[in-house]
Every structure is written in structure tokens, then in C-alpha cells.
Amino acid sequence: MERDMTRIALFAALIAALGLIPSLTLAFGVPITAQSMGVMLAGAILGAKRGALAVLLFMALVALGLPLLAGGRGGLGAFVAPTSGFFLGWPVAAFVIGLIVERLRSGPLAVTVALASIIGGIVVMYAFGIVGMSIALKKTLAECAVLVTAFIPGDIIKAVLTGLITQALARSRPAALLSRQ
């Protein structure tokens, strides 16, 4: 139990640290950050439940006003910004990624994790993000779907990196990969 809490806190901190990498904000107000890769890693390494809990802990800290999001943003405003849909989708994305990695045990781990990260970290997260953008920007779902296409190449790279990092961790410290225990 204590180890789980420590790992959950560690991944919440990792997501926060990835927000320190300079982001690129697109014209419609949504930044490209490394934090979504932290969400992917949380699900892939910690598993569905612990990965989602790590993201929820991070979100609670942001809600309390800590400036942990890319660009030093924090507070309740993060839940109503153009990025709010993506942000609210993070725990679901981590859960889906973790669930896929836990259940899909055939094939190379890096491929499984990259595929899980594409499904959870792109498809699921974009579903939330498009709805959130549509509400915040008062645009149609189709218009917002077109806007998010700018993120797809970078998120595919993050998914592949998540697969490679998870595989390297599994080789060097197999016990650390909780999603496979």
C-alpha cells in the first residue's frame, strides 16, 4: 500500500515535471506539451487503477492552485479552458492505457504499450479534448476535430517513446512494471 502511494505520487510529480519542458501554444489556445506522455507512462507502467490515481492526484494539485500545468498554469480555471477536455480526459486515458497493457500480453511490450498509448492517449484523450474545445471555443465538433489534427504527429511520437521507455524499464527493473504483475 505504501509503495503504491509512493509510486502514484512519483508519477504525479513526473507529469508535473514534464510540464516544465517548454510548450508550443497553437493559435487556438491549446499547448503542445510533454505532459500527455506522463499520462501515457503512468497508465503503461502503473496499470489502470494506479495510473488513473496518479493523474487524479496531479489534477487535485492543479485544482488547489499549484502551477503544475504547462506554462505555469493552475487553479480551477484549468477546468474551463480550451484545454479542459484534454485535461479531464487524462485519468480516463491513463486507465485505458493501463487496462490494455494489463490485458494484452502477446507480442513485443514496446508495440503493445505504443498501441495502448495511441488508443488511450490519442483516441480517448482526443474524444474528451474535442468536446471540451467545442464547448470552450463555441465551435462544432467537426471544426474542433480538424483543429486537433495538428497534435497527432507529436502524440504518435510520444506513444512510441512511451513504448520504448516502458520496454527499457521492464528489461532493467521488471518488478517496477506494475501493469504486468
Side-chain angles (χ1 to χ4, degrees):
M1 184 65 161
E2 286 179 22
R3 283 188 174 177
D4 282 348
M5 290 179 4
T6 301
R7 290 173 175 147
I8 288 166
L10 178 65
F11 272 84
L14 173 66
I15 296 167
L18 288 172
L20 297 174
I21 296 173
S23 63
L24 170 66
T25 302
L26 299 179
F28 47 94
V30 179
I32 297 174
T33 76
Q35 286 184 304
S36 58
M37 190 169 85
V39 172
M40 292 176 189
L41 286 165
I45 294 170
L46 296 180
K49 292 177 187 171
R50 287 180 290 256
L53 286 172
V55 176
L56 287 170
L57 173 59
F58 174 81
M59 292 174 74
L61 295 171
V62 169
L64 289 172
L66 293 172
L68 301 177
L69 289 171
R73 296 173 299 122
L76 295 177
F79 294 87
V80 293
T83 58
S84 63
F86 290 98
F87 186 53
L88 293 171
W90 282 4
V92 179
F95 185 86
V96 168
I97 292 164
L99 191 64
I100 292 169
V101 174
E102 289 170 2
R103 303 273 165 89
L104 189 61
R105 295 185 175 256
S106 62
L109 179 61
V111 173
T112 299
V113 171
L115 178 64
S117 295
I118 289 170
I119 293 168
I122 298 176
V123 175
V124 169
M125 198 180 312
Y126 281 39
F128 279 84
I130 290 168
V131 170
M133 283 179 62
S134 177
I135 293 166
L137 300 176
K138 296 180 179 22
K139 293 186 177 288
T140 67
L141 292 174
E143 289 172 316
C144 292
V146 169
L147 290 175
V148 300
T149 59
F151 298 103
I152 293 172
D155 283 337
I156 289 172
I157 291 169
K158 292 177 209 173
V160 170
L161 286 173
T162 298
L164 295 173
I165 291 167
T166 303
Q167 182 174 344
L169 180 65
R171 285 185 181 149
S172 65
R173 295 189 48 103
L177 192 61
L178 301 180
S179 60
R180 289 296 175 108
Q181 294 179 358

